[in-house]
Amino acid sequence: MARKLSMLWSGLGVLSTFTSAFTNPVFWEDLADLDIRRVGHTYYYSASTMHYSPGAPILRSYDLQNWEYIGHSVPTLDFGSAYSLTGGEAYVRGIWASFFGYHSTQNTWYWGGCIDFSTSYIYSASSVTGPWSRLATINKCYYDCGLLVDDGGTMYVSYVYNSTIWVAQLASDAKSEVVSQQVYSPPLDVGYIEGARFYKRNGVYYILVTHPATSEYVLKSSSVFGNYTIKALASSLSPPISGAGNPHQGGLIDTPSGQWYYMAFVDAYPGGRMPVMAPITWGSDDFPALTLVDGAWGSSYTSSLPAVSVASPTGSDRFRSIGPHWEWNHNPDTSKFSTGRNGLTLYTATVTDDLYAARNTITHRILGPVSTATIKLNYSNMTDGDRAGLVLLRDSSAWVGVQRDSGAYTVRYATNITMNSDWSTANTGTTTASVSITGGSIWLRVTADIQPGGTKQATFHYSTDGTNFNPIGSAFTMITSWEFFMGYRFGIFNYATSALGGSVNVPLFQLDSGTPE
């Protein structure tokens, strides 16, 4: 399967250590609602995952340019049976904007977030790579929250309630709230705000808030509980990605030598919400100011940090284990998959004709601007009625896969797999192309252009020898609506329509930038 693929991107973990500039987006993957932290010379990044499990991925970088996945803060979405697709479904629920931070005197990492607009959960770990475990349940909603560990070690949480900003003081063990109060109510010319992130610099407290999806504001006070004044940081700026939305809802980060940056995200569907970064300076009024290029967010900037390569997001995965770049669609049935020397084996876990109701679909973010996913699928242990393959997954989906009926196998292209506006299933799909196959193994491939200013199309292929690939079906046009929040993902699935008992084996997943030549 050796091949060259075009459109390699410098901001994706493959930069030379001599590079002195970064390109936006800094990482072309769906990583929204970011909370970014520095410990020493290392940077850590947390993001939203909604209904995907495990939740709240953690990424690591040494230069703010090149990022790698190292773990998750929420090991399983144990918030009710719907999160396991056994008591309904939890699409577009779960892990929203949450806080992530490090308490140096306690040598403890904390993650906290509000689930289903009612209850906040706090998780902790002594190492950022885990193991993470639930520490506390607080019976109020810290919506769109941020964490500040003050100079003396006191922990404060900024959060949103009825479009006003509140600050809560946590107990020293972070298991309960000591006190909370409203600290800011926005004027009419600012309007609704959310996405609170909490910082302190030179004795001054800052809360970053966003007016979605266009603007970012900074609240500033000499006291943690106010009074706070406000100033715009970014307002309707032209984005560095063609066709994307305005940069907003981000966080501040400093370097060991004192440079500061603001990292936000842009709505860049169909791929999702992508992180972009720009330098900031501090004015005489102690407010931060963005460094712009001709009045717009720059597509690239010089960097004060030498580039340090990390594990590339492209390459092959042979599933000796499930790495942190993978997330399941809802919690998996752990008894229905295995990994090891032979790769990933998926046993059917659900009897259904609905992909959205099927458990144990494992997903991978699509790498922009264009990338190709290829899997090898060993299908000889499927049983009649089973469907398995590679899906382009969102609220309007399509897949290429193998179907077994009456002992015979076909490779099929299915489309028109859609959800209603309440995320219930609207259509379970239509097969528009099929080819009979034999031999027990097949390679399946999807190439997706997720640029908001691009074709927004995906093509599907199959091969019986791993070298010569044949197109199947017509190009699929991905939707660009924002309401599902999460962008498209590649997914590997296996479900039964008649009875459990079948399985497939996936010894290889290959991700490449660009389109196969």
Side-chain angles (χ1 to χ4, degrees):
M1 294 180 64
R3 56 194 182 279
K4 291 184 178 179
L5 290 139
S6 60
M7 301 179 71
L8 291 173
W9 281 76
S10 62
L12 301 174
V14 291
L15 280 175
S16 162
T17 57
F18 299 102
T19 302
S20 60
F22 63 87
T23 301
N24 281 310
V26 289
F27 198 21
W28 204 317
E29 286 193 3
D30 185 15
L31 292 162
D33 303 330
L34 61 102
D35 202 352
I36 183 170
R37 302 290 174 174
R38 177 177 65 85
V39 177
H41 291 264
T42 307
Y43 304 88
Y44 301 95
Y45 184 121
S46 178
S48 292
T49 42
M50 304 290 177
H51 49 274
Y52 291 107
S53 178
I58 305 167
L59 292 85
R60 178 176 58 200
S61 174
Y62 303 99
D63 57 14
L64 293 171
Q65 307 172 46
N66 302 297
W67 294 89
E68 60 182 341
Y69 292 90
I70 61 170
H72 289 82
S73 296
V74 182
T76 186
L77 308 183
D78 51 352
F79 311 126
S81 60
Y83 285 92
S84 298
L85 289 174
T86 57
E89 48 77 23
Y91 288 104
V92 199
R93 293 164 54 187
I95 307 297
W96 289 35
S98 47
F99 71 65
F100 173 73
Y102 180 64
H103 197 301
S104 59
T105 58
Q106 297 181 4
N107 190 30
T108 301
W109 286 88
Y110 291 99
W111 178 95
C114 175
I115 304 299
D116 293 334
F117 303 99
S118 62
T119 305
S120 297
Y121 298 90
I122 297 177
Y123 290 72
S124 65
S126 59
S127 170
V128 70
T129 55
W132 286 78
S133 60
R134 183 181 293 180
L135 176 71
T137 300
I138 297 177
N139 291 318
K140 68 185 300 183
C141 181
Y142 292 150
Y143 179 76
D144 269 22
C145 51
L147 176 69
L148 171 69
V149 181
D150 210 345
D151 300 335
T154 302
M155 288 180 282
Y156 297 98
V157 175
S158 58
Y159 63 100
V160 181
Y161 178 71
N162 282 346
S163 191
T164 60
I165 304 301
W166 287 63
V167 169
Q169 178 185 338
L170 298 182
S172 60
D173 60 4
K175 293 182 178 180
S176 60
E177 178 183 285
V178 175
V179 64
S180 63
Q181 71 179 61
Q182 179 182 313
V183 299
Y184 188 78
S185 180
L188 291 177
D189 61 337
V190 171
Y192 175 76
I193 53 176
E194 60 181 21
R197 291 284 182 251
F198 214 171
Y199 306 94
K200 188 178 185 182
R201 174 185 176 269
N202 295 341
V204 179
Y205 297 89
Y206 297 90
I207 302 176
L208 268 65
V209 294
T210 191
H211 174 74
T214 60
S215 305
E216 187 81 1
Y217 293 91
V218 180
L219 306 179
K220 178 174 71 78
S221 174
S222 60
S223 171
V224 68
F225 287 108
N227 295 323
Y228 282 87
T229 57
I230 190 169
K231 187 175 182 179
L233 178 64
S235 182
S236 301
L237 291 176
S238 295
I241 302 175
S242 176
N246 307 122
H248 68 289
Q249 194 163 342
L252 300 176
I253 192 68
D254 68 336
T255 69
S257 57
Q259 287 80 30
W260 284 80
Y261 296 90
Y262 169 59
M263 190 179 288
F265 68 78
V266 295
D267 290 3
Y269 295 104
R273 295 172 288 174
M274 314 299 178
V276 296
M277 188 169 69
I280 63 169
T281 57
W282 294 90
S284 59
D285 59 359
D286 283 332
F287 276 102
L290 276 172
T291 301
L292 303 179
V293 178
D294 297 326
W297 195 289
S299 59
S300 64
Y301 290 94
T302 58
S303 173
S304 62
L305 296 169
V308 180
S309 295
V310 295
S312 173
T314 59
S316 61
D317 190 335
R318 298 187 180 277
F319 293 110
R320 299 298 187 262
S321 60
I322 302 296
H325 46 288
W326 291 98
E327 291 159 1
W328 301 88
N329 176 22
H330 294 64
N331 295 322
D333 180 340
T334 57
S335 69
K336 297 296 186 180
F337 74 89
S338 64
T339 58
R341 292 181 58 188
N342 296 323
L344 172 67
T345 298
L346 293 174
Y347 304 91
T348 52
T350 313
V351 178
T352 182
D353 62 357
D354 179 5
L355 174 70
Y356 294 129
R359 300 189 71 184
N360 288 25
T361 296
I362 190 168
T363 74
H364 194 292
R365 289 170 182 80
I366 299 174
L367 182 64
V370 180
S371 62
T372 298
T374 305
I375 66 169
K376 181 181 180 182
L377 184 77
N378 298 323
Y379 58 82
S380 59
N381 289 326
M382 295 176 70
T383 59
D384 282 348
D386 289 359
R387 282 80 172 110
L390 183 62
V391 62
L392 197 64
L393 184 66
R394 199 173 182 251
D395 50 326
S396 176
S397 303
W399 57 258
V400 57
V402 175
Q403 181 168 319
R404 173 173 163 160
D405 290 301
S406 302
Y409 297 93
T410 54
V411 57
R412 293 175 175 256
Y413 171 66
T415 186
N416 193 34
I417 306 165
T418 60
M419 290 182 177
N420 295 306
S421 59
D422 64 355
W423 317 124
S424 61
T425 300
N427 296 289
T428 57
T430 303
T431 297
T432 62
S434 64
V435 178
S436 296
I437 55 172
T438 58
S441 296
I442 194 168
W443 287 257
L444 305 173
R445 174 178 288 172
V446 179
T447 298
D449 178 353
I450 60 170
Q451 300 171 94
T455 66
K456 296 179 281 292
Q457 288 193 330
T459 56
F460 297 75
H461 296 76
Y462 72 95
S463 171
T464 56
D465 59 13
T467 301
N468 302 295
F469 281 81
N470 306 297
I472 186 168
S474 57
F476 174 75
T477 300
M478 293 173 278
I479 61 174
T480 58
S481 55
W482 63 266
E483 289 85 355
F484 194 74
F485 290 113
M486 305 303 292
Y488 274 91
R489 293 190 177 196
F490 297 124
I492 305 171
F493 68 91
N494 181 33
Y495 64 92
T497 64
S498 298
L500 301 180
S503 67
V504 294
N505 173 254
V506 183
L508 175 68
F509 171 89
Q510 178 77 29
L511 179 67
D512 294 289
S513 294
T515 303
E517 294 180 350

